[in-house]
Amino acid sequence: MHWAIGIALFIGTVAGMELFAYAAHRWLMHGPGWFLHASHHRPRTGAFEWNDLYAAIFAVPSFVLILGGVQLGWWPGWAWIGAGIAAYGAIYFGFHDVIVHKRLPHRYLPRSAYMKRIMQAHRLHHAVGTKDGTVSFGFLWAPRPEVLKAELRRRGNAGARQPGDPRDAPLTEDSGA
């Protein structure tokens, strides 16, 4: 396979993963997969949360495609696609876990309009502590904050957190996740 085709597959996969991530976040994580994702909408009490299992789950196709395309004699394009999935996972980890949620200590302060928009959109997503009523499900692209705030107001701020909200309490063994 020509390297240019591989690079195109890689870049196309990274871009396509944002669409996949949006759909998985909106309809899986805030749907039947809420039992794992709920931990992400609560204060973390240690280094890990149940939601982290999604990273392992979504890494499996990447690993299998890379292995198949490189070692098992499958079509070589599968390796480039698997690498694109892995690259999106690394980008997601950097943006979401490190920069937005500060799971690794850093002093980074967003200065670009893009980074400020992504961070504000994610904060607006977390303004709702339930699986329903949330806004902004993308990770690398987000609507303007004004649009998200208007949508929250249109919904009557259903599920929005208030000071002292019991949903802000850390999850425990008996709290459902």
Side-chain angles (χ1 to χ4, degrees):
M1 166 181 291
H2 192 274
W3 63 268
I5 295 171
I7 296 292
L9 285 170
F10 175 84
I11 292 170
T13 300
V14 171
M17 283 301 297
E18 178 67 2
L19 298 174
F20 172 82
Y22 176 94
H25 189 196
R26 183 167 188 174
W27 291 295
L28 174 66
M29 295 176 186
H30 281 263
W34 180 252
F35 71 100
L36 292 176
H37 189 60
S39 66
H40 183 61
H41 286 262
R42 304 283 192 272
R44 193 172 43 260
T45 58
F48 298 100
E49 55 192 41
W50 285 106
N51 184 68
D52 294 338
L53 288 175
Y54 281 117
I57 292 166
F58 294 144
V60 170
S62 173
F63 176 78
V64 169
L65 291 172
I66 292 170
L67 180 67
V70 172
Q71 292 291 320
L72 301 180
W74 298 357
W75 175 58
W78 290 124
W80 289 96
I81 292 168
I85 295 169
Y88 183 86
I91 294 165
Y92 166 84
F93 177 77
F95 270 85
H96 181 263
D97 289 335
V98 176
I99 293 173
V100 176
H101 287 290
K102 297 183 179 183
R103 291 183 72 172
L104 296 175
H106 63 82
R107 293 183 178 187
Y108 173 79
L109 291 173
R111 289 183 170 50
S112 74
Y114 170 75
M115 287 302 295
K116 288 178 181 177
R117 178 175 175 164
I118 292 295
M119 291 182 75
Q120 189 169 14
H122 200 73
R123 285 191 183 108
L124 289 168
H125 174 78
H126 281 272
V128 176
T130 61
K131 76 177 192 173
D132 301 313
T134 50
V135 295
S136 188
F137 295 92
F139 296 110
L140 302 180
W141 179 87
R144 290 186 340 267
E146 306 80 46
V147 171
L148 298 173
K149 289 176 184 176
E151 179 62 19
L152 286 170
R153 279 191 304 274
R154 186 189 69 75
R155 296 177 184 177
N157 292 320
R161 297 178 189 277
Q162 303 298 324
D165 193 320
R167 291 172 297 190
D168 288 334
L171 287 175
T172 60
E173 295 276 331
D174 56 298
S175 64

